[in-house]
């Protein structure tokens, strides 16, 4: 028996805003969408085009408030091959929420407040 990661889910308040953010910030692209006939929710899977792991964004039609992320101690992490260019892009977007220069990493915050860790690739 072997388990493999499939996806992580973030619930989002505005699906279009989140899709644009993940496309612009991380070059993630939509690979699959689930939309029931009653329109009560939409699930969109985003891919980096390299790994099998997806980010699942879930929008709920009847959700009318920001999501409670608690202490926001959980996060998604991505490795980038050009750390300096990524940092420049995210700084220009104004989405960097925490930098740990000693560890050589930083975090960006998406439109719903979820944190994404950006890690340089090992050389």
């Amino acid at each position: 028996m072997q388990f493999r990661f499939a996806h992580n889910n973030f619930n989002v308040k505005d699906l279009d805003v989140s899709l644009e953010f993940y496309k612009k910030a991380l070059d993630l692209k939509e690979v699959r969408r689930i939309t029931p006939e009653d329109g009560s929710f939409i699930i969109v899977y985003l891919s980096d085009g390299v790994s099998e792991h997806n980010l699942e964004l879930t929008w709920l039609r009847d959700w009318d408030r920001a999501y409670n992320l608690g202490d926001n101690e959980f996060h998604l992490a991505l490795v980038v091959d050009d750390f300096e260019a990524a940092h420049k892009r995210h700084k220009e977007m104004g989405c960097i929420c925490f930098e740990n220069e000693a560890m050589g990493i930083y975090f960006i915050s998406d439109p719903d407040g979820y944190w994404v860790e950006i890690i340089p690739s090992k050389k």
Side-chain angles (χ1 to χ4, degrees):
M1 179 182 335
Q2 180 181 15
F3 295 94
R4 293 181 299 129
F5 282 106
H7 65 263
N8 287 81
N9 171 263
F10 287 168
N11 282 23
V12 299
K13 189 150 170 42
D14 187 322
L15 183 59
D16 291 332
V17 168
S18 293
L19 289 172
E20 180 62 28
F21 174 83
Y22 283 103
K23 179 180 179 182
K24 184 176 181 182
L26 301 171
D27 300 323
L28 299 182
K29 296 183 178 42
E30 181 176 335
V31 293
R32 188 165 61 120
R33 181 179 288 238
I34 299 170
T35 308
E37 286 186 28
D38 69 0
S40 60
F41 67 88
I42 299 173
I43 297 173
V44 176
Y45 294 90
L46 302 178
S47 172
D48 61 13
V50 180
S51 68
E52 293 183 34
H53 189 269
N54 288 168
L55 175 59
E56 174 187 302
L57 301 180
T58 301
W59 170 82
L60 302 172
R61 178 189 59 207
D62 298 329
W63 194 265
D64 63 353
R65 59 200 175 282
Y67 285 94
N68 179 348
L69 303 182
D71 293 330
N72 209 4
E73 287 296 323
F74 60 91
H75 63 273
L76 188 64
L78 282 85
V79 174
V80 65
D81 62 350
D82 190 339
F83 188 79
E84 289 76 23
H87 189 274
K88 181 177 186 256
R89 177 192 296 182
H90 297 142
K91 187 170 185 167
E92 289 170 357
M93 290 177 65
C95 61
I96 296 175
C97 57
F98 181 75
E99 294 189 62
N100 186 328
E101 292 179 13
M103 291 182 68
I105 61 170
Y106 67 92
F107 291 81
I108 60 174
S109 180
D110 87 349
D112 291 281
Y114 294 102
W115 283 26
V116 179
E117 180 179 355
I118 307 300
I119 304 168
S121 61
K122 294 186 174 30
K123 296 184 181 184

